[in-house]
Amino acid sequence: MTDDLERKKRLVAAWRGAERALSRSLLEPTVGELLAELTAAAGEGRDEPADLYGDGVVTRLERRVAELLGMEDAAFFPSGTMAQQVALRCWAGRTGNPVVALHPMSHPERWEGGAVSLVSGLRTAAVTDAPRQPTASEVRELAEPFGTLMLELPLRDAGFLLPSWEELEELVAAGRERDAVIHFDGARLWESTRWFGRGLPEIAGLADSVYVSLYKSLGGISGACLAGPATLIAEARVWRHRYGGQVFRQFPQALSGLAGLERELPMLPSYVAQAGVVAEALRSAFASAGVPWFRINPEVPHTHQFQVWLPYETERLTEAGLRQAEETGTVLFRRWHPQGPAGLAMTELEVTRPGLSWTPDDVTEATTAFLARL
């Protein structure tokens, strides 16, 4: 445990000290830096009363999210896990069917400790186990009835994958043919507009409810919002209180969420475009260096995040990236994780504001320096 903690401290120190990076890690900011950002986000409203159980600035955030998504109402939640559990539970009560059709790589199945069944009393049915978005035919052919079809957009663990707009329309139509309601796990829905070629209201409008994160992509402190019909959100607020989510003060999360919507949301299409430039330059650099097996997944990023796979042990790759940051002041890759067969490792790359200035030559140079340290 001590060794892991020391490695983490060394990594964060190297990242903070680096002059160049494709994005900044959420681990980098200090408490003081976050407090300063929060004070700046408050602006002229810093003298207004703090919220009590979600009024004031929290209400302002909820209205803003509902407006952006074209929904009747939205409710703030302290976590996306809680928002999503409440949404699925409310829909199960309304449809009378406790089965949720979803992808087994989706967040509730992989990262919520079995809460769908253990806390909410629901049951899941896998639409497909292939590492991609499900198809409309798979939804139509699912053997058992289901009350809710949940789609994670993008599907993070499969490589931040999105369906095409036409495929998404067909998926939604297939779900409705099965008399199911449609819920979007849209933690990262914000950056999907470029891929779909549609605005947020049109995308969200395909679903009956949508959950969005306030820190993924937007860089807020924490928190999420659930958006949908006013009657659903009213019920969700009741369940939020029952789940312990009616927190006394929530203004820090609300202020940082509003700041993220103002600062980051307009920039996301440019981040997605730059991710395509970075991915192509990486592919070319790996090929030129003769790396025996590598993958950029997907080949053309659907969002501003994508996976990189290399045929080396995770510790070797993480150490190479760490030494590159310490010795050259450039962060290309951060931490790697074992995935698939032994000897393969995967990392996720994200391109945000710091990465907009990178040229293909910059990516090639950084890749060459990284490979030299393996």
Side-chain angles (χ1 to χ4, degrees), residues 4 19 26-27 29-30 90 120 124 153 172 190 199-200 206 215 230 242 282 299-300 361 366:
D4 291 342
E19 298 175 358
L26 294 175
L27 296 175
T30 64
C90 289
S120 301
T124 60
L153 302 174
V172 169
W190 304 117
L200 286 168
L206 291 178
Y215 73 91
R242 290 169 176 161
L282 278 172
E299 291 189 1
V300 177
D361 287 343

Side-chain angles (χ1 to χ4, degrees), residues 113-358:
V116 169
S117 59
L118 295 175
V119 178
S120 301
L122 309 180
R123 188 160 55 84
T124 60
V127 180
T128 178
D129 59 3
R132 55 163 172 74
Q133 287 285 350
T135 66
S137 61
E138 288 168 337
V139 172
R140 292 190 181 97
E141 294 166 7
L142 194 60
E144 59 182 317
F146 53 92
T148 303
L149 173 63
M150 197 207 85
L151 300 172
E152 183 176 315
L153 302 174
L155 187 57
R156 183 258 182 98
D157 283 356
F160 304 93
L161 299 184
L162 289 163
S164 69
W165 178 252
E166 293 73 22
E167 288 168 340
L168 181 59
E169 287 184 312
E170 292 171 3
L171 273 167
V172 169
R176 299 205 186 283
E177 289 172 17
R178 298 291 301 268
D179 297 322
V181 296
I182 311 300
H183 172 72
F184 285 171
D185 175 342
R188 297 173 173 84
L189 191 73
W190 304 117
E191 62 262 33
S192 68
T193 55
R194 181 181 174 92
W195 176 262
F196 287 136
R198 304 289 194 283
L200 286 168
E202 190 172 358
I203 298 168
L206 291 178
D208 296 288
S209 61
V210 179
Y211 138 64
V212 288
S213 175
L214 298 174
Y215 73 91
K216 297 169 183 173
S217 305
L218 297 183
I221 292 176
S222 62
C225 280
L226 174 66
T231 54
L232 176 79
I233 300 306
E235 181 184 359
R237 288 191 170 102
V238 174
W239 279 105
R240 179 182 63 188
H241 182 61
R242 290 169 176 161
Y243 273 62
Q246 190 71 357
V247 181
F248 179 56
R249 292 200 196 279
Q250 304 162 64
F251 70 89
Q253 292 89 340
L255 283 172
S256 64
L258 283 167
L261 290 171
E262 181 73 22
R263 180 187 64 248
E264 293 300 310
L265 185 58
M267 298 296 297
L268 287 173
S270 64
Y271 298 166
V272 177
Q274 181 68 354
V277 173
V278 172
E280 179 56 37
L282 278 172
R283 183 182 302 106
S284 178
F286 286 143
S288 297
V291 176
W293 191 100
F294 68 87
R295 291 291 184 276
I296 308 296
N297 181 44
E299 291 189 1
V300 177
H302 296 183
T303 73
H304 67 306
Q305 298 170 297
F306 58 94
Q307 295 176 339
V308 179
W309 293 65
L310 288 177
Y312 301 94
E313 297 296 334
T314 57
E315 282 300 311
R316 183 177 176 186
L317 291 163
T318 298
E319 181 65 22
L322 173 55
R323 288 194 290 110
Q324 180 180 14
E326 292 174 333
E327 295 165 8
T328 71
T330 295
V331 177
L332 178 60
F333 303 118
R334 297 181 187 272
R335 288 189 284 194
W336 293 76
H337 309 279
Q339 298 285 332
L344 288 182
M346 183 275 291
T347 191
E348 295 173 342
L349 272 192
E350 178 180 31
V351 178
T352 58
R353 197 178 300 262
L356 291 178
S357 64
W358 286 52

Side-chain angles (χ1 to χ4, degrees), residues 3-13 27 335:
D3 290 343
D4 291 342
L5 181 59
E6 289 304 314
R7 164 62 74 86
K8 182 178 179 180
K9 289 181 178 178
R10 186 181 164 202
L11 285 167
V12 173
L27 296 175
R335 288 189 284 194

